[in-house]
Amino acid sequence: MEGLNELAFVLGGVNHWITVFLIMAGLYIIVSRSNMIKKLVGLSIFQTSVYLLYVSPGKIIGGTAPIIIEGAEDQLYSNPLPHVLILTAIVVGVATLALGLALVVRVNEAYGSIEEDEVYSVGDWN
Amino acid sequence: MEFLINLILLLFLSAVTVAIIGVRNLFAVVVLGGAYSFLMATLLIAMDAVDVGMTEAAVGAGVSTVLLLSALHLTKTDESPARHSNVLPIALSVLTGLILVYGTWDLPRYGDSENPMNTYVGAEYLERSIPETTVPNVVTSVLASYRGYDTLGETVVIFTAGIGVLMLLKGRRRREDEDGEEGRRS
């Protein structure tokens, strides 16, 4: 029994650790790439990975989606609260992406490039 | 079994993410981003978050991909090779990652029904949804009833973003018209 608990602890942790890997991959793209569209894709990866961090502790093994089934009194349901919070986060994420892309289109018009390095070398930044 | 499905989907997600880091063609990046969103939607449905999964498939894989493709149409599709060394970004990500992994030690584990998050407020909503709102889907009742103002705020965010995008792109059209007139005069 003790060994089984240990196994569940490690397996439950793997979920979080891969999530952390995805978040850091997003951060790495944002910091290391100078192409603005790639940066925005990295930002999306960052945002999407955070959903996992919220939703995975709310999942209950043996549970089902939180839609109440009539007549099934002892049915286990997963936690609905993180789902609601993440629904809001998805929409906000897409709003950020749309605004960011509109800015990239304008930057491309003003400087003829979407690479951060080239934009800095063209513009008058003093 | 539930652990296994989860693990496989997470490994797929990691593979797609690594591919996104490596690929230089932005069109391929956008398509891989769509694949990433669909995998994420599947994973969310495997975690019983059906509403979130459907929204992610529609908004993440659908709308986001369309937005990115239209931005590519208006700009360029190739990324220029990196000019700076990657040492600092890698060090930063690894360090932050290690701190986050240290933080996960205290996080509630996946699939645990006994953690405070699942026994306190979440259980309360599950019990009270039918008597108080008569809506069987608890996510809907929390979203539209208990946290209705939150959802209103969310629509305000979309509205503001929409206005922002319109203002940014409207100026663009006007300038193009002026350029066109100048072109004709000269």
PDB file of all heavy atoms in Angstrom, chain A residues 9 13 16-17 22 33 38 49 57 59 66 68 78-79 87 106 108-109 112 115, chain B residues 2 20-21 23 48 55 76 79-80 104 108-109 111 117-118 136 138 168 172:
ATOM      1  N   PHE A   9       2.159   9.317  -6.020  1.00  0.00           N
ATOM      2  CA  PHE A   9       2.773  10.622  -5.761  1.00  0.00           C
ATOM      3  C   PHE A   9       3.670  11.027  -6.924  1.00  0.00           C
ATOM      4  O   PHE A   9       3.571  12.130  -7.451  1.00  0.00           O
ATOM      5  CB  PHE A   9       3.582  10.552  -4.457  1.00  0.00           C
ATOM      6  CG  PHE A   9       4.156  11.867  -4.025  1.00  0.00           C
ATOM      7  CD1 PHE A   9       3.370  12.785  -3.351  1.00  0.00           C
ATOM      8  CD2 PHE A   9       5.480  12.182  -4.295  1.00  0.00           C
ATOM      9  CE1 PHE A   9       3.898  13.993  -2.950  1.00  0.00           C
ATOM     10  CE2 PHE A   9       6.006  13.395  -3.892  1.00  0.00           C
ATOM     11  CZ  PHE A   9       5.212  14.304  -3.216  1.00  0.00           C
ATOM     12  N   GLY A  13       3.015  13.783  -9.809  1.00  0.00           N
ATOM     13  CA  GLY A  13       3.994  14.848  -9.962  1.00  0.00           C
ATOM     14  C   GLY A  13       4.432  15.015 -11.404  1.00  0.00           C
ATOM     15  O   GLY A  13       4.646  16.138 -11.853  1.00  0.00           O
ATOM     16  N   HIS A  16       2.691  17.640 -13.248  1.00  0.00           N
ATOM     17  CA  HIS A  16       3.115  19.008 -12.962  1.00  0.00           C
ATOM     18  C   HIS A  16       4.454  19.315 -13.618  1.00  0.00           C
ATOM     19  O   HIS A  16       4.676  20.406 -14.117  1.00  0.00           O
ATOM     20  CB  HIS A  16       3.258  19.218 -11.453  1.00  0.00           C
ATOM     21  CG  HIS A  16       1.952  19.205 -10.727  1.00  0.00           C
ATOM     22  ND1 HIS A  16       0.814  19.767 -11.243  1.00  0.00           N
ATOM     23  CD2 HIS A  16       1.596  18.705  -9.536  1.00  0.00           C
ATOM     24  CE1 HIS A  16      -0.170  19.614 -10.391  1.00  0.00           C
ATOM     25  NE2 HIS A  16       0.277  18.962  -9.346  1.00  0.00           N
ATOM     26  N   TRP A  17       5.363  18.301 -13.620  1.00  0.00           N
ATOM     27  CA  TRP A  17       6.709  18.582 -14.120  1.00  0.00           C
ATOM     28  C   TRP A  17       6.702  18.800 -15.621  1.00  0.00           C
ATOM     29  O   TRP A  17       7.394  19.685 -16.115  1.00  0.00           O
ATOM     30  CB  TRP A  17       7.665  17.455 -13.696  1.00  0.00           C
ATOM     31  CG  TRP A  17       7.716  17.310 -12.207  1.00  0.00           C
ATOM     32  CD1 TRP A  17       7.566  18.328 -11.305  1.00  0.00           C
ATOM     33  CD2 TRP A  17       7.867  16.119 -11.439  1.00  0.00           C
ATOM     34  NE1 TRP A  17       7.610  17.838 -10.024  1.00  0.00           N
ATOM     35  CE2 TRP A  17       7.800  16.487 -10.065  1.00  0.00           C
ATOM     36  CE3 TRP A  17       8.055  14.770 -11.767  1.00  0.00           C
ATOM     37  CZ2 TRP A  17       7.918  15.561  -9.039  1.00  0.00           C
ATOM     38  CZ3 TRP A  17       8.178  13.852 -10.739  1.00  0.00           C
ATOM     39  CH2 TRP A  17       8.107  14.242  -9.388  1.00  0.00           C
ATOM     40  N   LEU A  22       6.641  22.673 -20.272  1.00  0.00           N
ATOM     41  CA  LEU A  22       5.950  23.401 -21.340  1.00  0.00           C
ATOM     42  C   LEU A  22       5.989  24.902 -21.074  1.00  0.00           C
ATOM     43  O   LEU A  22       6.250  25.708 -21.983  1.00  0.00           O
ATOM     44  CB  LEU A  22       4.499  22.934 -21.455  1.00  0.00           C
ATOM     45  CG  LEU A  22       4.277  21.499 -21.947  1.00  0.00           C
ATOM     46  CD1 LEU A  22       2.806  21.155 -21.883  1.00  0.00           C
ATOM     47  CD2 LEU A  22       4.794  21.339 -23.353  1.00  0.00           C
ATOM     48  N   ARG A  33      13.939  34.250 -29.002  1.00  0.00           N
ATOM     49  CA  ARG A  33      13.666  34.528 -30.416  1.00  0.00           C
ATOM     50  C   ARG A  33      13.416  36.011 -30.636  1.00  0.00           C
ATOM     51  O   ARG A  33      12.763  36.654 -29.811  1.00  0.00           O
ATOM     52  CB  ARG A  33      12.449  33.736 -30.890  1.00  0.00           C
ATOM     53  CG  ARG A  33      12.639  32.244 -30.834  1.00  0.00           C
ATOM     54  CD  ARG A  33      13.693  31.804 -31.835  1.00  0.00           C
ATOM     55  NE  ARG A  33      13.802  30.367 -31.891  1.00  0.00           N
ATOM     56  CZ  ARG A  33      14.821  29.676 -31.364  1.00  0.00           C
ATOM     57  NH1 ARG A  33      15.785  30.287 -30.733  1.00  0.00           N
ATOM     58  NH2 ARG A  33      14.846  28.367 -31.457  1.00  0.00           N
ATOM     59  N   LYS A  38       6.849  34.630 -33.701  1.00  0.00           N
ATOM     60  CA  LYS A  38       7.279  33.466 -32.926  1.00  0.00           C
ATOM     61  C   LYS A  38       7.173  33.748 -31.430  1.00  0.00           C
ATOM     62  O   LYS A  38       6.762  32.895 -30.661  1.00  0.00           O
ATOM     63  CB  LYS A  38       8.723  33.131 -33.299  1.00  0.00           C
ATOM     64  CG  LYS A  38       9.239  31.866 -32.686  1.00  0.00           C
ATOM     65  CD  LYS A  38       9.367  30.748 -33.683  1.00  0.00           C
ATOM     66  CE  LYS A  38       9.934  29.522 -33.052  1.00  0.00           C
ATOM     67  NZ  LYS A  38      10.894  28.838 -33.888  1.00  0.00           N
ATOM     68  N   SER A  49      -0.188  26.377 -21.240  1.00  0.00           N
ATOM     69  CA  SER A  49       0.337  25.397 -20.283  1.00  0.00           C
ATOM     70  C   SER A  49      -0.164  25.666 -18.874  1.00  0.00           C
ATOM     71  O   SER A  49      -0.311  24.739 -18.082  1.00  0.00           O
ATOM     72  CB  SER A  49       1.854  25.431 -20.285  1.00  0.00           C
ATOM     73  OG  SER A  49       2.332  25.509 -21.578  1.00  0.00           O
ATOM     74  N   PRO A  57      -4.930  19.405 -10.819  1.00  0.00           N
ATOM     75  CA  PRO A  57      -5.265  19.038  -9.436  1.00  0.00           C
ATOM     76  C   PRO A  57      -6.774  18.892  -9.211  1.00  0.00           C
ATOM     77  O   PRO A  57      -7.187  18.259  -8.247  1.00  0.00           O
ATOM     78  CB  PRO A  57      -4.714  20.202  -8.605  1.00  0.00           C
ATOM     79  CG  PRO A  57      -3.825  20.950  -9.489  1.00  0.00           C
ATOM     80  CD  PRO A  57      -4.324  20.750 -10.873  1.00  0.00           C
ATOM     81  N   LYS A  59      -8.824  17.332 -11.215  1.00  0.00           N
ATOM     82  CA  LYS A  59      -9.270  16.025 -11.721  1.00  0.00           C
ATOM     83  C   LYS A  59      -9.277  15.009 -10.573  1.00  0.00           C
ATOM     84  O   LYS A  59      -8.373  14.996  -9.742  1.00  0.00           O
ATOM     85  CB  LYS A  59      -8.311  15.579 -12.824  1.00  0.00           C
ATOM     86  CG  LYS A  59      -8.314  14.111 -13.142  1.00  0.00           C
ATOM     87  CD  LYS A  59      -9.468  13.729 -14.002  1.00  0.00           C
ATOM     88  CE  LYS A  59      -9.432  12.234 -14.303  1.00  0.00           C
ATOM     89  NZ  LYS A  59     -10.719  11.707 -14.684  1.00  0.00           N
ATOM     90  N   PRO A  66     -18.118  17.461 -14.549  1.00  0.00           N
ATOM     91  CA  PRO A  66     -19.059  17.982 -13.546  1.00  0.00           C
ATOM     92  C   PRO A  66     -20.415  18.359 -14.126  1.00  0.00           C
ATOM     93  O   PRO A  66     -20.829  19.511 -14.068  1.00  0.00           O
ATOM     94  CB  PRO A  66     -18.326  19.195 -12.967  1.00  0.00           C
ATOM     95  CG  PRO A  66     -17.404  19.623 -14.036  1.00  0.00           C
ATOM     96  CD  PRO A  66     -17.042  18.406 -14.814  1.00  0.00           C
ATOM     97  N   ILE A  68     -24.178  17.138 -13.487  1.00  0.00           N
ATOM     98  CA  ILE A  68     -24.871  16.292 -12.517  1.00  0.00           C
ATOM     99  C   ILE A  68     -25.775  15.281 -13.227  1.00  0.00           C
ATOM    100  O   ILE A  68     -26.596  15.657 -14.068  1.00  0.00           O
ATOM    101  CB  ILE A  68     -25.728  17.156 -11.565  1.00  0.00           C
ATOM    102  CG1 ILE A  68     -24.876  18.279 -10.954  1.00  0.00           C
ATOM    103  CG2 ILE A  68     -26.373  16.295 -10.494  1.00  0.00           C
ATOM    104  CD1 ILE A  68     -23.969  17.872  -9.850  1.00  0.00           C
ATOM    105  N   SER A  78     -15.413  15.660 -11.051  1.00  0.00           N
ATOM    106  CA  SER A  78     -14.208  16.481 -10.920  1.00  0.00           C
ATOM    107  C   SER A  78     -14.596  17.898 -10.519  1.00  0.00           C
ATOM    108  O   SER A  78     -15.741  18.302 -10.676  1.00  0.00           O
ATOM    109  CB  SER A  78     -13.431  16.491 -12.229  1.00  0.00           C
ATOM    110  OG  SER A  78     -12.928  15.210 -12.474  1.00  0.00           O
ATOM    111  N   ASN A  79     -13.605  18.632 -10.016  1.00  0.00           N
ATOM    112  CA  ASN A  79     -13.863  19.968  -9.484  1.00  0.00           C
ATOM    113  C   ASN A  79     -14.210  20.954 -10.611  1.00  0.00           C
ATOM    114  O   ASN A  79     -13.410  21.152 -11.517  1.00  0.00           O
ATOM    115  CB  ASN A  79     -12.600  20.421  -8.754  1.00  0.00           C
ATOM    116  CG  ASN A  79     -12.832  21.630  -7.908  1.00  0.00           C
ATOM    117  OD1 ASN A  79     -13.822  22.329  -8.079  1.00  0.00           O
ATOM    118  ND2 ASN A  79     -11.919  21.885  -6.990  1.00  0.00           N
ATOM    119  N   LEU A  87     -11.788  28.829 -18.448  1.00  0.00           N
ATOM    120  CA  LEU A  87     -12.594  29.319 -19.582  1.00  0.00           C
ATOM    121  C   LEU A  87     -12.358  30.811 -19.772  1.00  0.00           C
ATOM    122  O   LEU A  87     -12.196  31.298 -20.896  1.00  0.00           O
ATOM    123  CB  LEU A  87     -14.074  29.075 -19.310  1.00  0.00           C
ATOM    124  CG  LEU A  87     -14.614  27.703 -19.681  1.00  0.00           C
ATOM    125  CD1 LEU A  87     -16.073  27.603 -19.302  1.00  0.00           C
ATOM    126  CD2 LEU A  87     -14.464  27.474 -21.164  1.00  0.00           C
ATOM    127  N   ARG A 106       1.432  46.406 -37.662  1.00  0.00           N
ATOM    128  CA  ARG A 106       1.773  47.836 -37.748  1.00  0.00           C
ATOM    129  C   ARG A 106       3.287  48.038 -37.699  1.00  0.00           C
ATOM    130  O   ARG A 106       3.828  48.879 -38.431  1.00  0.00           O
ATOM    131  CB  ARG A 106       1.110  48.593 -36.601  1.00  0.00           C
ATOM    132  CG  ARG A 106      -0.389  48.555 -36.650  1.00  0.00           C
ATOM    133  CD  ARG A 106      -0.937  49.453 -37.711  1.00  0.00           C
ATOM    134  NE  ARG A 106      -0.841  50.835 -37.293  1.00  0.00           N
ATOM    135  CZ  ARG A 106      -0.551  51.832 -38.114  1.00  0.00           C
ATOM    136  NH1 ARG A 106      -0.313  51.578 -39.375  1.00  0.00           N
ATOM    137  NH2 ARG A 106      -0.486  53.056 -37.675  1.00  0.00           N
ATOM    138  N   ASN A 108       5.503  45.978 -38.749  1.00  0.00           N
ATOM    139  CA  ASN A 108       6.015  45.557 -40.047  1.00  0.00           C
ATOM    140  C   ASN A 108       5.858  46.666 -41.078  1.00  0.00           C
ATOM    141  O   ASN A 108       6.728  46.868 -41.931  1.00  0.00           O
ATOM    142  CB  ASN A 108       5.272  44.294 -40.501  1.00  0.00           C
ATOM    143  CG  ASN A 108       5.800  43.774 -41.811  1.00  0.00           C
ATOM    144  OD1 ASN A 108       6.997  43.637 -41.984  1.00  0.00           O
ATOM    145  ND2 ASN A 108       4.903  43.509 -42.743  1.00  0.00           N
ATOM    146  N   GLU A 109       4.748  47.416 -40.987  1.00  0.00           N
ATOM    147  CA  GLU A 109       4.555  48.506 -41.936  1.00  0.00           C
ATOM    148  C   GLU A 109       5.521  49.663 -41.689  1.00  0.00           C
ATOM    149  O   GLU A 109       6.049  50.255 -42.614  1.00  0.00           O
ATOM    150  CB  GLU A 109       3.134  49.037 -41.809  1.00  0.00           C
ATOM    151  CG  GLU A 109       2.229  48.429 -42.825  1.00  0.00           C
ATOM    152  CD  GLU A 109       0.809  48.579 -42.382  1.00  0.00           C
ATOM    153  OE1 GLU A 109       0.502  49.598 -41.737  1.00  0.00           O
ATOM    154  OE2 GLU A 109       0.039  47.665 -42.661  1.00  0.00           O
ATOM    155  N   GLY A 112       9.311  47.692 -41.847  1.00  0.00           N
ATOM    156  CA  GLY A 112       9.590  46.713 -42.885  1.00  0.00           C
ATOM    157  C   GLY A 112      10.176  45.422 -42.379  1.00  0.00           C
ATOM    158  O   GLY A 112      10.812  44.689 -43.138  1.00  0.00           O
ATOM    159  N   GLU A 115      11.494  41.362 -37.217  1.00  0.00           N
ATOM    160  CA  GLU A 115      12.572  40.900 -36.342  1.00  0.00           C
ATOM    161  C   GLU A 115      12.954  42.044 -35.413  1.00  0.00           C
ATOM    162  O   GLU A 115      13.220  43.152 -35.860  1.00  0.00           O
ATOM    163  CB  GLU A 115      13.800  40.503 -37.169  1.00  0.00           C
ATOM    164  CG  GLU A 115      13.559  39.398 -38.174  1.00  0.00           C
ATOM    165  CD  GLU A 115      13.465  38.041 -37.528  1.00  0.00           C
ATOM    166  OE1 GLU A 115      14.033  37.872 -36.427  1.00  0.00           O
ATOM    167  OE2 GLU A 115      12.816  37.166 -38.102  1.00  0.00           O
TER     168      GLU A 115
ATOM    169  N   GLU B   2      -5.928   6.090 -16.538  1.00  0.00           N
ATOM    170  CA  GLU B   2      -6.079   7.544 -16.693  1.00  0.00           C
ATOM    171  C   GLU B   2      -4.722   8.240 -16.636  1.00  0.00           C
ATOM    172  O   GLU B   2      -4.481   9.194 -17.364  1.00  0.00           O
ATOM    173  CB  GLU B   2      -7.016   8.079 -15.610  1.00  0.00           C
ATOM    174  CG  GLU B   2      -8.469   7.821 -15.943  1.00  0.00           C
ATOM    175  CD  GLU B   2      -9.408   8.190 -14.822  1.00  0.00           C
ATOM    176  OE1 GLU B   2      -9.549   7.401 -13.886  1.00  0.00           O
ATOM    177  OE2 GLU B   2      -9.999   9.270 -14.889  1.00  0.00           O
ATOM    178  N   ILE B  20       8.228  23.245 -32.249  1.00  0.00           N
ATOM    179  CA  ILE B  20       7.956  24.679 -32.452  1.00  0.00           C
ATOM    180  C   ILE B  20       9.216  25.497 -32.188  1.00  0.00           C
ATOM    181  O   ILE B  20       9.521  26.442 -32.915  1.00  0.00           O
ATOM    182  CB  ILE B  20       6.804  25.148 -31.538  1.00  0.00           C
ATOM    183  CG1 ILE B  20       5.468  24.563 -32.020  1.00  0.00           C
ATOM    184  CG2 ILE B  20       6.706  26.670 -31.513  1.00  0.00           C
ATOM    185  CD1 ILE B  20       4.290  24.926 -31.163  1.00  0.00           C
ATOM    186  N   ILE B  21       9.987  25.108 -31.148  1.00  0.00           N
ATOM    187  CA  ILE B  21      11.218  25.850 -30.852  1.00  0.00           C
ATOM    188  C   ILE B  21      12.185  25.751 -32.028  1.00  0.00           C
ATOM    189  O   ILE B  21      12.808  26.734 -32.428  1.00  0.00           O
ATOM    190  CB  ILE B  21      11.883  25.295 -29.565  1.00  0.00           C
ATOM    191  CG1 ILE B  21      10.993  25.586 -28.356  1.00  0.00           C
ATOM    192  CG2 ILE B  21      13.261  25.916 -29.358  1.00  0.00           C
ATOM    193  CD1 ILE B  21      11.535  25.047 -27.062  1.00  0.00           C
ATOM    194  N   VAL B  23      11.683  24.888 -35.403  1.00  0.00           N
ATOM    195  CA  VAL B  23      11.324  25.204 -36.792  1.00  0.00           C
ATOM    196  C   VAL B  23      11.492  26.699 -37.059  1.00  0.00           C
ATOM    197  O   VAL B  23      11.146  27.532 -36.220  1.00  0.00           O
ATOM    198  CB  VAL B  23       9.869  24.767 -37.062  1.00  0.00           C
ATOM    199  CG1 VAL B  23       9.395  25.281 -38.400  1.00  0.00           C
ATOM    200  CG2 VAL B  23       9.768  23.272 -37.015  1.00  0.00           C
ATOM    201  N   ASP B  48     -11.525  15.572 -17.659  1.00  0.00           N
ATOM    202  CA  ASP B  48     -12.925  15.876 -17.330  1.00  0.00           C
ATOM    203  C   ASP B  48     -13.299  17.341 -17.509  1.00  0.00           C
ATOM    204  O   ASP B  48     -14.383  17.741 -17.104  1.00  0.00           O
ATOM    205  CB  ASP B  48     -13.273  15.477 -15.883  1.00  0.00           C
ATOM    206  CG  ASP B  48     -13.247  13.982 -15.710  1.00  0.00           C
ATOM    207  OD1 ASP B  48     -13.248  13.287 -16.731  1.00  0.00           O
ATOM    208  OD2 ASP B  48     -13.204  13.523 -14.567  1.00  0.00           O
ATOM    209  N   THR B  55     -13.846  24.701 -25.699  1.00  0.00           N
ATOM    210  CA  THR B  55     -13.479  26.101 -25.948  1.00  0.00           C
ATOM    211  C   THR B  55     -12.072  26.182 -26.513  1.00  0.00           C
ATOM    212  O   THR B  55     -11.805  26.968 -27.433  1.00  0.00           O
ATOM    213  CB  THR B  55     -13.559  26.915 -24.642  1.00  0.00           C
ATOM    214  OG1 THR B  55     -14.768  26.589 -23.999  1.00  0.00           O
ATOM    215  CG2 THR B  55     -13.497  28.382 -24.914  1.00  0.00           C
ATOM    216  N   LYS B  76       5.716  38.487 -42.915  1.00  0.00           N
ATOM    217  CA  LYS B  76       6.664  37.587 -43.592  1.00  0.00           C
ATOM    218  C   LYS B  76       6.550  36.195 -43.005  1.00  0.00           C
ATOM    219  O   LYS B  76       6.124  36.031 -41.870  1.00  0.00           O
ATOM    220  CB  LYS B  76       8.084  38.095 -43.369  1.00  0.00           C
ATOM    221  CG  LYS B  76       8.297  39.483 -43.915  1.00  0.00           C
ATOM    222  CD  LYS B  76       9.682  39.979 -43.587  1.00  0.00           C
ATOM    223  CE  LYS B  76       9.915  41.353 -44.175  1.00  0.00           C
ATOM    224  NZ  LYS B  76       8.987  42.361 -43.598  1.00  0.00           N
ATOM    225  N   GLU B  79      11.639  33.183 -40.442  1.00  0.00           N
ATOM    226  CA  GLU B  79      12.317  33.760 -39.300  1.00  0.00           C
ATOM    227  C   GLU B  79      13.798  33.829 -39.649  1.00  0.00           C
ATOM    228  O   GLU B  79      14.351  32.870 -40.175  1.00  0.00           O
ATOM    229  CB  GLU B  79      12.082  32.834 -38.096  1.00  0.00           C
ATOM    230  CG  GLU B  79      12.555  33.358 -36.790  1.00  0.00           C
ATOM    231  CD  GLU B  79      12.436  32.302 -35.700  1.00  0.00           C
ATOM    232  OE1 GLU B  79      11.885  31.222 -35.956  1.00  0.00           O
ATOM    233  OE2 GLU B  79      12.922  32.571 -34.605  1.00  0.00           O
ATOM    234  N   SER B  80      14.438  34.981 -39.360  1.00  0.00           N
ATOM    235  CA  SER B  80      15.864  35.046 -39.667  1.00  0.00           C
ATOM    236  C   SER B  80      16.651  34.320 -38.581  1.00  0.00           C
ATOM    237  O   SER B  80      16.198  34.229 -37.446  1.00  0.00           O
ATOM    238  CB  SER B  80      16.312  36.500 -39.771  1.00  0.00           C
ATOM    239  OG  SER B  80      16.173  37.130 -38.534  1.00  0.00           O
ATOM    240  N   THR B 104       6.244  22.691  -7.027  1.00  0.00           N
ATOM    241  CA  THR B 104       5.197  21.675  -7.230  1.00  0.00           C
ATOM    242  C   THR B 104       5.158  20.664  -6.089  1.00  0.00           C
ATOM    243  O   THR B 104       4.200  19.924  -5.975  1.00  0.00           O
ATOM    244  CB  THR B 104       5.401  20.901  -8.542  1.00  0.00           C
ATOM    245  OG1 THR B 104       6.671  20.248  -8.493  1.00  0.00           O
ATOM    246  CG2 THR B 104       5.306  21.787  -9.747  1.00  0.00           C
ATOM    247  N   PRO B 108      -1.252  20.250  -4.842  1.00  0.00           N
ATOM    248  CA  PRO B 108      -2.067  19.041  -4.795  1.00  0.00           C
ATOM    249  C   PRO B 108      -1.754  18.151  -5.998  1.00  0.00           C
ATOM    250  O   PRO B 108      -1.541  18.650  -7.099  1.00  0.00           O
ATOM    251  CB  PRO B 108      -3.504  19.557  -4.877  1.00  0.00           C
ATOM    252  CG  PRO B 108      -3.458  21.011  -4.794  1.00  0.00           C
ATOM    253  CD  PRO B 108      -2.055  21.470  -4.910  1.00  0.00           C
ATOM    254  N   ARG B 109      -1.705  16.838  -5.778  1.00  0.00           N
ATOM    255  CA  ARG B 109      -1.356  15.904  -6.855  1.00  0.00           C
ATOM    256  C   ARG B 109      -2.524  15.694  -7.809  1.00  0.00           C
ATOM    257  O   ARG B 109      -3.678  15.876  -7.442  1.00  0.00           O
ATOM    258  CB  ARG B 109      -0.957  14.550  -6.248  1.00  0.00           C
ATOM    259  CG  ARG B 109       0.285  14.629  -5.424  1.00  0.00           C
ATOM    260  CD  ARG B 109       1.480  14.768  -6.311  1.00  0.00           C
ATOM    261  NE  ARG B 109       2.348  15.795  -5.755  1.00  0.00           N
ATOM    262  CZ  ARG B 109       3.605  15.928  -6.111  1.00  0.00           C
ATOM    263  NH1 ARG B 109       4.136  15.124  -6.996  1.00  0.00           N
ATOM    264  NH2 ARG B 109       4.335  16.883  -5.614  1.00  0.00           N
ATOM    265  N   GLY B 111      -5.358  13.870  -9.655  1.00  0.00           N
ATOM    266  CA  GLY B 111      -6.251  12.753  -9.377  1.00  0.00           C
ATOM    267  C   GLY B 111      -6.582  12.542  -7.919  1.00  0.00           C
ATOM    268  O   GLY B 111      -7.273  11.591  -7.579  1.00  0.00           O
ATOM    269  N   MET B 117      -8.555  21.709  -2.324  1.00  0.00           N
ATOM    270  CA  MET B 117      -9.216  22.322  -3.471  1.00  0.00           C
ATOM    271  C   MET B 117     -10.496  21.562  -3.847  1.00  0.00           C
ATOM    272  O   MET B 117     -11.488  22.160  -4.244  1.00  0.00           O
ATOM    273  CB  MET B 117      -8.204  22.262  -4.616  1.00  0.00           C
ATOM    274  CG  MET B 117      -8.625  22.829  -5.901  1.00  0.00           C
ATOM    275  SD  MET B 117      -7.141  22.793  -6.906  1.00  0.00           S
ATOM    276  CE  MET B 117      -7.900  22.735  -8.498  1.00  0.00           C
ATOM    277  N   ASN B 118     -10.468  20.218  -3.713  1.00  0.00           N
ATOM    278  CA  ASN B 118     -11.620  19.426  -4.138  1.00  0.00           C
ATOM    279  C   ASN B 118     -12.626  19.159  -3.022  1.00  0.00           C
ATOM    280  O   ASN B 118     -13.755  18.749  -3.294  1.00  0.00           O
ATOM    281  CB  ASN B 118     -11.147  18.080  -4.701  1.00  0.00           C
ATOM    282  CG  ASN B 118     -10.356  18.264  -5.966  1.00  0.00           C
ATOM    283  OD1 ASN B 118     -10.513  19.275  -6.640  1.00  0.00           O
ATOM    284  ND2 ASN B 118      -9.494  17.315  -6.277  1.00  0.00           N
ATOM    285  N   PRO B 136     -27.936  21.516 -14.517  1.00  0.00           N
ATOM    286  CA  PRO B 136     -27.140  20.323 -14.201  1.00  0.00           C
ATOM    287  C   PRO B 136     -25.655  20.498 -14.486  1.00  0.00           C
ATOM    288  O   PRO B 136     -24.815  19.924 -13.801  1.00  0.00           O
ATOM    289  CB  PRO B 136     -27.745  19.238 -15.091  1.00  0.00           C
ATOM    290  CG  PRO B 136     -28.544  19.942 -16.111  1.00  0.00           C
ATOM    291  CD  PRO B 136     -28.893  21.283 -15.597  1.00  0.00           C
ATOM    292  N   VAL B 138     -22.488  22.077 -13.897  1.00  0.00           N
ATOM    293  CA  VAL B 138     -22.036  22.969 -12.830  1.00  0.00           C
ATOM    294  C   VAL B 138     -21.145  24.081 -13.382  1.00  0.00           C
ATOM    295  O   VAL B 138     -21.179  25.210 -12.898  1.00  0.00           O
ATOM    296  CB  VAL B 138     -21.303  22.163 -11.742  1.00  0.00           C
ATOM    297  CG1 VAL B 138     -20.965  23.035 -10.570  1.00  0.00           C
ATOM    298  CG2 VAL B 138     -22.162  21.010 -11.289  1.00  0.00           C
ATOM    299  N   LEU B 168      -5.916  49.979 -34.433  1.00  0.00           N
ATOM    300  CA  LEU B 168      -4.582  49.775 -34.994  1.00  0.00           C
ATOM    301  C   LEU B 168      -4.650  49.547 -36.504  1.00  0.00           C
ATOM    302  O   LEU B 168      -3.867  50.096 -37.271  1.00  0.00           O
ATOM    303  CB  LEU B 168      -3.918  48.568 -34.327  1.00  0.00           C
ATOM    304  CG  LEU B 168      -3.326  48.825 -32.955  1.00  0.00           C
ATOM    305  CD1 LEU B 168      -2.966  47.510 -32.293  1.00  0.00           C
ATOM    306  CD2 LEU B 168      -2.097  49.695 -33.065  1.00  0.00           C
ATOM    307  N   ARG B 172      -3.975  51.896 -40.556  1.00  0.00           N
ATOM    308  CA  ARG B 172      -3.204  51.263 -41.606  1.00  0.00           C
ATOM    309  C   ARG B 172      -3.867  51.457 -42.966  1.00  0.00           C
ATOM    310  O   ARG B 172      -3.246  51.851 -43.947  1.00  0.00           O
ATOM    311  CB  ARG B 172      -3.129  49.780 -41.262  1.00  0.00           C
ATOM    312  CG  ARG B 172      -2.591  48.955 -42.326  1.00  0.00           C
ATOM    313  CD  ARG B 172      -2.493  47.535 -41.878  1.00  0.00           C
ATOM    314  NE  ARG B 172      -2.084  46.772 -43.011  1.00  0.00           N
ATOM    315  CZ  ARG B 172      -2.911  46.198 -43.831  1.00  0.00           C
ATOM    316  NH1 ARG B 172      -4.191  46.244 -43.607  1.00  0.00           N
ATOM    317  NH2 ARG B 172      -2.457  45.545 -44.878  1.00  0.00           N
TER     318      ARG B 172
END
